[in-house]
Protein backbone atom coordinates (compact mmCIF):
# COMPACT_ATOMS: atom_id res chain seq x y z
CA UNK A 1 0.00 0.00 0.00
CA UNK A 2 1.12 3.66 -0.40
CA UNK A 3 3.92 4.60 1.99
CA UNK A 4 3.27 8.28 2.83
CA UNK A 5 6.86 9.06 3.77
CA UNK A 6 8.53 7.12 0.94
CA UNK A 7 10.11 9.35 -1.73
CA UNK A 8 12.30 8.77 -4.74
CA UNK A 9 15.88 10.09 -4.77
CA UNK A 10 15.81 12.93 -7.33
CA UNK A 11 19.60 13.40 -7.37
CA UNK A 12 20.07 9.74 -8.29
CA UNK A 13 17.35 9.97 -10.95
CA UNK A 14 18.75 13.17 -12.49
CA UNK A 15 22.25 11.64 -12.54
CA UNK A 16 20.88 8.66 -14.49
CA UNK A 17 18.95 10.90 -16.89
CA UNK A 18 22.12 12.90 -17.53
CA UNK A 19 24.20 9.73 -18.00
CA UNK A 20 21.76 8.35 -20.57
CA UNK A 21 21.58 11.76 -22.28
CA UNK A 22 25.33 11.39 -22.83
CA UNK A 23 24.54 8.54 -25.26
CA UNK A 24 23.94 9.97 -28.72
CA UNK A 25 24.20 13.50 -27.36
CA UNK A 26 23.95 16.23 -30.01
CA UNK A 27 24.55 19.98 -30.18
CA UNK A 28 22.21 21.95 -27.90
CA UNK A 29 21.79 19.38 -25.15
CA UNK A 30 19.56 16.96 -27.02
CA UNK A 31 20.00 13.36 -28.12
CA UNK A 32 19.83 11.35 -31.32
CA UNK A 33 19.35 7.63 -30.67
CA UNK A 34 17.38 6.53 -33.72
CA UNK A 35 15.90 3.06 -33.25
CA UNK A 36 18.29 0.12 -33.79
CA UNK A 37 21.36 2.27 -34.38
CA UNK A 38 24.66 1.98 -32.47
CA UNK A 39 23.50 4.85 -30.22
CA UNK A 40 20.28 2.96 -29.44
CA UNK A 41 22.35 -0.13 -28.63
CA UNK A 42 24.59 1.83 -26.25
CA UNK A 43 21.57 3.34 -24.50
CA UNK A 44 19.95 -0.08 -24.24
CA UNK A 45 23.13 -1.64 -22.83
CA UNK A 46 23.40 1.10 -20.21
CA UNK A 47 19.82 0.57 -19.03
CA UNK A 48 20.08 -3.24 -19.08
CA UNK A 49 23.15 -3.05 -16.83
CA UNK A 50 21.21 -0.74 -14.49
CA UNK A 51 18.32 -3.23 -14.45
CA UNK A 52 20.72 -6.03 -13.52
CA UNK A 53 22.41 -3.80 -10.90
CA UNK A 54 18.95 -3.37 -9.33
CA UNK A 55 18.48 -7.14 -9.21
CA UNK A 56 15.74 -7.36 -11.86
CA UNK A 57 15.14 -10.51 -13.92
CA UNK A 58 15.83 -9.17 -17.41
CA UNK A 59 14.32 -10.69 -20.57
CA UNK A 60 14.70 -9.59 -24.20
CA UNK A 61 11.88 -10.58 -26.52
CA UNK A 62 11.90 -11.30 -30.24
CA UNK A 63 11.26 -7.69 -31.27
CA UNK A 64 13.92 -6.40 -28.86
CA UNK A 65 11.62 -5.21 -26.07
CA UNK A 66 13.42 -5.47 -22.71
CA UNK A 67 11.50 -6.18 -19.49
CA UNK A 68 13.07 -6.20 -16.01
CA UNK A 69 10.92 -7.91 -13.36
CA UNK A 70 11.12 -7.34 -9.58
CA UNK A 71 9.39 -10.42 -8.11
CA UNK A 72 6.50 -9.78 -5.72
CA UNK A 73 5.33 -11.94 -2.83
CA UNK A 74 2.66 -13.49 -5.09
CA UNK A 75 2.96 -15.03 -8.54
CA UNK A 76 0.92 -13.60 -11.40
CA UNK A 77 1.02 -10.74 -13.87
CA UNK A 78 3.24 -7.84 -12.80
CA UNK A 79 2.28 -4.21 -12.49
CA UNK A 80 4.23 -2.70 -15.36
CA UNK A 81 5.77 0.66 -16.11
CA UNK A 82 8.24 1.89 -18.70
CA UNK A 83 8.56 3.72 -22.00
CA UNK A 84 11.17 3.90 -24.77
CA UNK A 85 14.86 4.73 -25.23
CA UNK A 86 14.90 5.50 -28.95
CA UNK A 87 14.51 9.14 -29.98
CA UNK A 88 13.79 11.23 -33.04
CA UNK A 89 16.75 12.83 -34.86
CA UNK A 90 16.45 16.06 -32.85
CA UNK A 91 15.34 14.43 -29.62
CA UNK A 92 15.21 15.77 -26.11
CA UNK A 93 16.71 13.97 -23.10
CA UNK A 94 13.36 13.24 -21.41
CA UNK A 95 11.08 11.87 -24.16
CA UNK A 96 10.92 8.15 -23.32
CA UNK A 97 14.02 8.06 -21.14
CA UNK A 98 12.16 9.63 -18.22
CA UNK A 99 9.57 6.87 -18.10
CA UNK A 100 12.16 4.10 -18.13
CA UNK A 101 14.58 5.68 -15.64
CA UNK A 102 11.82 6.82 -13.27
CA UNK A 103 10.51 3.25 -13.26
CA UNK A 104 13.98 2.04 -12.29
CA UNK A 105 14.19 4.80 -9.66
CA UNK A 106 10.99 3.40 -8.13
CA UNK A 107 12.66 -0.03 -7.98
CA UNK A 108 15.80 1.45 -6.38
CA UNK A 109 13.66 3.28 -3.79
CA UNK A 110 11.79 0.08 -2.89
CA UNK A 111 15.07 -1.85 -2.71
CA UNK A 112 16.58 0.77 -0.38
CA UNK A 113 13.49 0.68 1.84
CA UNK A 114 13.39 -3.14 1.81
CA UNK A 115 9.79 -3.06 0.66
CA UNK A 116 8.27 -6.15 -0.98
CA UNK A 117 5.14 -5.68 -3.04
CA UNK A 118 2.31 -8.20 -3.31
CA UNK A 119 2.38 -8.20 -7.11
CA UNK A 120 5.61 -8.24 -9.10
CA UNK A 121 6.77 -4.97 -10.61
CA UNK A 122 8.14 -4.77 -14.16
CA UNK A 123 10.03 -1.95 -15.85
CA UNK A 124 10.24 -2.13 -19.65
CA UNK A 125 11.57 -0.30 -22.65
CA UNK A 126 10.01 -0.98 -26.02
CA UNK A 127 11.61 -1.10 -29.44
CA UNK A 128 11.17 1.76 -31.91
CA UNK A 129 8.52 3.86 -30.20
CA UNK A 130 9.31 6.88 -32.39
CA UNK A 131 8.89 5.29 -35.79
CA UNK A 132 11.51 7.70 -37.16
CA UNK A 133 13.51 5.07 -39.13
CA UNK A 134 10.97 2.25 -39.27
CA UNK A 135 7.22 2.89 -39.36
CA UNK A 136 4.89 2.43 -37.56
CA UNK A 137 5.71 4.13 -34.30
CA UNK A 138 5.05 2.24 -31.05
CA UNK A 139 6.24 -0.84 -33.00
CA UNK A 140 7.67 -2.85 -30.08
CA UNK A 141 4.81 -2.23 -27.66
CA UNK A 142 2.22 -2.94 -30.37
CA UNK A 143 3.87 -6.32 -31.06
CA UNK A 144 4.18 -6.94 -27.30
CA UNK A 145 0.46 -6.38 -26.82
CA UNK A 146 -0.65 -8.37 -29.87
CA UNK A 147 -1.73 -5.52 -32.16
CA UNK A 148 1.06 -5.94 -34.75
CA UNK A 149 2.24 -9.35 -36.04
CA UNK A 150 5.86 -10.08 -35.07
CA UNK A 151 6.92 -11.23 -38.55
CA UNK A 152 5.44 -8.12 -40.18
CA UNK A 153 7.40 -5.92 -37.77
CA UNK A 154 10.64 -7.86 -38.29
CA UNK A 155 10.28 -7.64 -42.07
CA UNK A 156 9.71 -3.86 -42.03
CA UNK A 157 12.21 -2.02 -44.22
CA UNK A 158 13.34 1.35 -42.93
CA UNK A 159 14.67 4.59 -44.38
CA UNK A 160 18.13 3.04 -44.76
CA UNK A 161 16.74 0.06 -46.71
CA UNK A 162 17.56 -2.39 -43.90
CA UNK A 163 14.98 -4.55 -42.10
CA UNK A 164 14.13 -4.42 -38.41
CA UNK A 165 15.30 -8.04 -38.09
CA UNK A 166 18.73 -7.23 -39.60
CA UNK A 167 19.28 -4.17 -37.44
CA UNK A 168 18.02 -5.86 -34.25
CA UNK A 169 20.48 -8.69 -34.88
CA UNK A 170 23.25 -6.17 -35.60
CA UNK A 171 22.80 -4.46 -32.21
CA UNK A 172 22.39 -7.77 -30.40
CA UNK A 173 18.75 -7.35 -29.36
CA UNK A 174 17.02 -9.94 -31.53
CA UNK A 175 15.91 -11.66 -28.34
CA UNK A 176 14.42 -15.10 -27.77
CA UNK A 177 11.61 -14.43 -25.28
CA UNK A 178 8.22 -14.72 -26.94
CA UNK A 179 6.62 -11.29 -27.37
CA UNK A 180 4.13 -10.45 -24.68
CA UNK A 181 5.23 -13.40 -22.55
CA UNK A 182 5.28 -10.97 -19.62
CA UNK A 183 1.53 -10.13 -19.43
CA UNK A 184 0.79 -6.99 -17.43
CA UNK A 185 -1.70 -6.75 -14.56
CA UNK A 186 -1.74 -3.00 -15.29
CA UNK A 187 0.48 -0.45 -17.02
CA UNK A 188 1.36 3.12 -16.02
CA UNK A 189 3.81 5.32 -17.98
CA UNK A 190 5.42 8.56 -16.83
CA UNK A 191 6.17 10.92 -19.72
CA UNK A 192 6.82 14.59 -20.40
CA UNK A 193 3.67 16.23 -21.77
CA UNK A 194 5.43 17.49 -24.91
CA UNK A 195 2.73 20.15 -25.20
CA UNK A 196 1.89 23.54 -23.62
CA UNK A 197 -1.12 22.73 -21.39
CA UNK A 198 0.36 21.98 -17.95
CA UNK A 199 2.80 24.89 -18.08
CA UNK A 200 0.08 27.28 -19.34
CA UNK A 201 -2.22 26.27 -16.47
CA UNK A 202 0.65 26.15 -13.94
CA UNK A 203 -0.22 22.53 -13.08
CA UNK A 204 2.44 20.00 -12.05
CA UNK A 205 0.82 16.64 -12.84
CA UNK A 206 -1.26 15.51 -15.83
CA UNK A 207 -3.69 12.62 -15.34
CA UNK A 208 -3.83 11.54 -18.96
CA UNK A 209 -7.28 10.61 -20.30
CA UNK A 210 -6.15 8.96 -23.51
CA UNK A 211 -4.25 9.33 -26.80
CA UNK A 212 -5.60 10.92 -29.98
CA UNK A 213 -5.86 8.96 -33.23
CA UNK A 214 -2.77 8.89 -35.49
CA UNK A 215 -2.61 8.44 -39.27
CA UNK A 216 0.75 8.46 -41.10
CA UNK A 217 0.71 8.39 -44.93
CA UNK A 218 3.62 8.37 -47.40
CA UNK A 219 2.75 9.89 -50.80
CA UNK A 220 4.91 9.11 -53.86
CA UNK A 221 4.55 11.16 -57.05
CA UNK A 222 5.97 10.37 -60.47
CA UNK A 223 5.93 13.10 -63.14
CA UNK A 224 8.57 13.79 -65.72
CA UNK A 225 11.84 15.58 -65.17
CA UNK A 226 12.41 18.16 -67.85
CA UNK A 227 14.25 21.34 -68.63
CA UNK A 228 13.31 24.26 -66.35
CA UNK A 229 13.78 26.75 -69.17
CA UNK A 230 12.52 25.11 -72.32
CA UNK A 231 9.40 23.32 -71.01
CA UNK A 232 6.18 25.35 -71.40
CA UNK A 233 4.12 25.53 -68.19
CA UNK A 234 1.24 23.74 -69.97
CA UNK A 235 3.48 20.80 -70.89
CA UNK A 236 4.88 20.07 -67.43
CA UNK A 237 4.43 16.95 -65.28
CA UNK A 238 5.86 18.64 -62.24
CA UNK A 239 6.00 16.14 -59.32
CA UNK A 240 7.45 18.84 -57.07
CA UNK A 241 4.59 21.24 -57.61
CA UNK A 242 2.05 18.46 -56.99
CA UNK A 243 3.82 17.66 -53.72
CA UNK A 244 3.72 21.21 -52.43
CA UNK A 245 0.02 21.50 -53.40
CA UNK A 246 -0.68 18.40 -51.28
CA UNK A 247 1.35 19.83 -48.40
CA UNK A 248 -0.69 23.05 -48.58
CA UNK A 249 -3.92 21.05 -48.69
CA UNK A 250 -2.90 19.25 -45.48
CA UNK A 251 -2.51 22.59 -43.71
CA UNK A 252 -5.95 23.77 -44.97
CA UNK A 253 -7.45 20.45 -43.82
CA UNK A 254 -6.19 21.06 -40.26
CA UNK A 255 -7.64 24.57 -40.32
CA UNK A 256 -11.04 23.43 -41.61
CA UNK A 257 -11.64 20.17 -39.68
CA UNK A 258 -13.02 20.37 -36.11
CA UNK A 259 -11.92 18.18 -33.19
CA UNK A 260 -8.48 19.81 -32.82
CA UNK A 261 -7.29 18.29 -36.09
CA UNK A 262 -3.53 18.58 -36.65
CA UNK A 263 -1.56 17.89 -39.83
CA UNK A 264 2.20 17.80 -40.36
CA UNK A 265 4.39 17.34 -43.43
CA UNK A 266 7.57 16.10 -41.77
CA UNK A 267 9.43 14.75 -44.82
CA UNK A 268 9.46 16.21 -48.37
CA UNK A 269 11.93 15.00 -51.03
CA UNK A 270 12.25 16.11 -54.65
CA UNK A 271 14.25 14.32 -57.30
CA UNK A 272 16.62 14.96 -58.97
CA UNK A 273 16.74 17.97 -56.60
CA UNK A 274 18.62 20.16 -59.11
CA UNK A 275 17.93 23.87 -59.62
CA UNK A 276 17.24 23.73 -63.34
CA UNK A 277 15.36 20.42 -63.57
CA UNK A 278 11.59 20.05 -63.16
CA UNK A 279 11.27 17.37 -60.43
CA UNK A 280 10.32 14.06 -62.03
CA UNK A 281 9.73 12.46 -58.65
CA UNK A 282 8.60 13.62 -55.22
CA UNK A 283 7.66 12.02 -51.93
CA UNK A 284 6.21 13.45 -48.74
CA UNK A 285 4.78 12.19 -45.45
CA UNK A 286 1.58 13.43 -43.86
CA UNK A 287 0.91 12.97 -40.13
CA UNK A 288 -2.81 13.53 -39.39
CA UNK A 289 -4.18 13.35 -35.83
CA UNK A 290 -7.55 13.92 -34.22
CA UNK A 291 -9.10 13.01 -30.87
CA UNK A 292 -12.26 11.96 -32.73
CA UNK A 293 -12.10 8.69 -34.72
CA UNK A 294 -14.79 9.72 -37.21
CA UNK A 295 -13.20 13.08 -37.93
CA UNK A 296 -9.82 11.44 -38.45
CA UNK A 297 -11.33 9.07 -41.03
CA UNK A 298 -13.02 12.05 -42.71
CA UNK A 299 -9.72 13.92 -42.86
CA UNK A 300 -8.04 10.88 -44.44
CA UNK A 301 -10.81 10.56 -47.05
CA UNK A 302 -10.52 14.24 -47.96
CA UNK A 303 -6.75 13.90 -48.27
CA UNK A 304 -6.98 10.82 -50.50
CA UNK A 305 -9.54 12.39 -52.84
CA UNK A 306 -7.46 15.56 -53.11
CA UNK A 307 -4.39 13.46 -53.98
CA UNK A 308 -6.35 11.75 -56.78
CA UNK A 309 -7.56 15.15 -58.08
CA UNK A 310 -4.10 16.71 -58.07
CA UNK A 311 -2.72 13.66 -59.93
CA UNK A 312 -5.21 14.22 -62.75
CA UNK A 313 -4.81 18.00 -62.81
CA UNK A 314 -1.00 17.90 -62.90
CA UNK A 315 -0.88 14.78 -65.11
CA UNK A 316 1.35 12.92 -62.63
CA UNK A 317 1.07 9.43 -61.12
CA UNK A 318 0.38 9.54 -57.36
CA UNK A 319 0.43 6.62 -54.92
CA UNK A 320 -0.11 6.66 -51.14
CA UNK A 321 0.88 4.10 -48.52
CA UNK A 322 -0.24 3.99 -44.90
CA UNK A 323 2.76 3.94 -42.52
CA UNK A 324 0.87 3.95 -39.21
CA UNK A 325 -2.78 4.02 -38.20
CA UNK A 326 -4.09 4.12 -34.63
CA UNK A 327 -7.60 5.00 -33.48
CA UNK A 328 -7.98 7.22 -30.42
CA UNK A 329 -7.43 5.35 -27.15
CA UNK A 330 -8.99 6.03 -23.74
CA UNK A 331 -7.22 5.11 -20.51
CA UNK A 332 -8.85 3.33 -17.55
CA UNK A 333 -10.96 5.68 -15.41
CA UNK A 334 -9.69 3.83 -12.33
CA UNK A 335 -6.07 4.64 -13.22
CA UNK A 336 -6.82 8.23 -14.19
CA UNK A 337 -8.52 8.69 -10.80
CA UNK A 338 -5.60 6.97 -9.06
CA UNK A 339 -3.14 9.43 -10.61
CA UNK A 340 -5.33 12.34 -9.48
CA UNK A 341 -5.69 10.94 -5.98
CA UNK A 342 -1.98 10.19 -5.50
CA UNK A 343 -0.95 13.58 -6.88
CA UNK A 344 -3.40 15.33 -4.54
CA UNK A 345 -2.18 13.23 -1.58
CA UNK A 346 1.33 14.52 -2.35
CA UNK A 347 0.01 18.09 -2.33
CA UNK A 348 0.54 18.47 -6.09
CA UNK A 349 -1.71 20.31 -8.54
CA UNK A 350 -3.21 17.93 -11.12
CA UNK A 351 -5.57 18.10 -14.09
CA UNK A 352 -6.87 15.70 -16.71
CA UNK A 353 -5.84 16.10 -20.32
CA UNK A 354 -5.57 14.08 -23.55
CA UNK A 355 -2.23 13.19 -25.08
CA UNK A 356 -1.39 14.72 -28.46
CA UNK A 357 1.58 12.36 -28.81
CA UNK A 358 1.49 8.61 -29.24
CA UNK A 359 2.91 6.48 -26.42
CA UNK A 360 3.67 2.83 -25.64
CA UNK A 361 0.90 2.92 -23.01
CA UNK A 362 -1.71 3.06 -25.77
CA UNK A 363 -0.81 -0.49 -26.79
CA UNK A 364 -1.69 -1.73 -23.28
CA UNK A 365 -4.96 0.20 -22.92
CA UNK A 366 -7.21 -2.42 -24.60
CA UNK A 367 -5.64 -5.27 -22.58
CA UNK A 368 -5.31 -4.08 -18.96
CA UNK A 369 -5.98 -1.06 -16.72
CA UNK A 370 -3.65 1.55 -18.20
CA UNK A 371 -2.83 5.18 -17.58
CA UNK A 372 -0.18 7.85 -17.91
CA UNK A 373 1.31 10.58 -15.76
CA UNK A 374 2.48 13.78 -17.46
CA UNK A 375 4.86 16.40 -16.17
CA UNK A 376 5.17 19.87 -17.77
CA UNK A 377 7.34 20.59 -20.81
CA UNK A 378 8.98 24.01 -20.66
CA UNK A 379 7.52 26.08 -23.51
CA UNK A 380 5.57 23.01 -24.57
CA UNK A 381 8.59 22.06 -26.66
CA UNK A 382 9.54 18.47 -27.58
CA UNK A 383 11.09 16.55 -30.47
CA UNK A 384 13.59 19.38 -30.18
CA UNK A 385 16.98 19.51 -28.43
CA UNK A 386 15.62 22.32 -26.22
CA UNK A 387 13.10 19.92 -24.61
CA UNK A 388 13.22 20.60 -20.86
CA UNK A 389 11.36 19.70 -17.67
CA UNK A 390 12.32 21.14 -14.27
CA UNK A 391 13.89 18.64 -11.83
CA UNK A 392 11.25 19.48 -9.20
CA UNK A 393 8.55 18.45 -11.72
CA UNK A 394 10.47 15.28 -12.55
CA UNK A 395 10.67 14.54 -8.81
CA UNK A 396 6.93 15.16 -8.46
CA UNK A 397 6.08 12.90 -11.40
CA UNK A 398 8.35 10.12 -10.18
CA UNK A 399 6.82 10.27 -6.69
CA UNK A 400 3.32 10.04 -8.17
CA UNK A 401 4.52 7.06 -10.23
CA UNK A 402 5.96 5.47 -7.06
CA UNK A 403 2.67 5.75 -5.20
CA UNK A 404 0.47 4.71 -8.12
CA UNK A 405 2.63 1.61 -8.69
CA UNK A 406 2.55 0.82 -4.96
CA UNK A 407 -1.23 1.11 -4.92
CA UNK A 408 -1.53 -1.17 -7.96
CA UNK A 409 1.08 -3.65 -6.69
CA UNK A 410 -0.45 -3.80 -3.22
O1 LIG B 1 4.67 10.37 -32.97
C1 LIG B 1 4.44 10.32 -31.77
O2 LIG B 1 3.47 10.86 -31.28
C2 LIG B 1 5.38 9.59 -30.84
O3 LIG B 1 6.37 10.51 -30.43
N1 LIG B 1 5.97 8.46 -31.48
MN1 LIG C 1 7.83 9.38 -26.20
MN1 LIG D 1 8.64 11.12 -29.14
Amino acid sequence: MPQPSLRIDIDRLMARIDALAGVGSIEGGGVCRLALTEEDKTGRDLVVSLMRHLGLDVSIDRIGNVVGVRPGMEDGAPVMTGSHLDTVRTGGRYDGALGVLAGLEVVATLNDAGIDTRRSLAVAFFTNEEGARFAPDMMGSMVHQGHLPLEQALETTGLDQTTVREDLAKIGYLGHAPCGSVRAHSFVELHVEQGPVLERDDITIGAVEGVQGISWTEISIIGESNHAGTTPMSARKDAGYAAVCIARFARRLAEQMEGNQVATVGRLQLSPDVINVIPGRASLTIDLRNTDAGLLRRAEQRLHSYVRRIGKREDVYVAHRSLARYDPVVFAPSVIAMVERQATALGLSVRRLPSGAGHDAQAFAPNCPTGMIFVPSVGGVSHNVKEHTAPRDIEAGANVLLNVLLELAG
Side-chain angles (χ1 to χ4, degrees), residues 15 32 86 133 195 217 235 282 366:
C32 175
D86 66 299
R133 276 187 79 212
T217 303

Side-chain angles (χ1 to χ4, degrees), residues 83-84 86 94-97 129-130 138 189 191-192 194 357-360 372 382-383 387:
S83 194
H84 59 95
D86 66 299
Y94 304 101
D95 178 358
E129 187 278 345
E130 293 292 1
M138 284 74 78
E189 178 175 358
H191 205 287
V192 289
Q194 301 181 289
H359 296 288
D360 292 310
M372 290 188 76
S382 182
H383 283 189
E387 177 184 272

Side-chain angles (χ1 to χ4, degrees), residues 51-52 54-59 66-71 121-123 182:
M51 285 179 166
R52 294 209 162 103
L54 291 169
L56 300 182
D57 303 331
V58 179
S59 66
V66 177
V67 183
V69 179
R70 183 180 193 266
L121 266 184
V123 183
V182 181

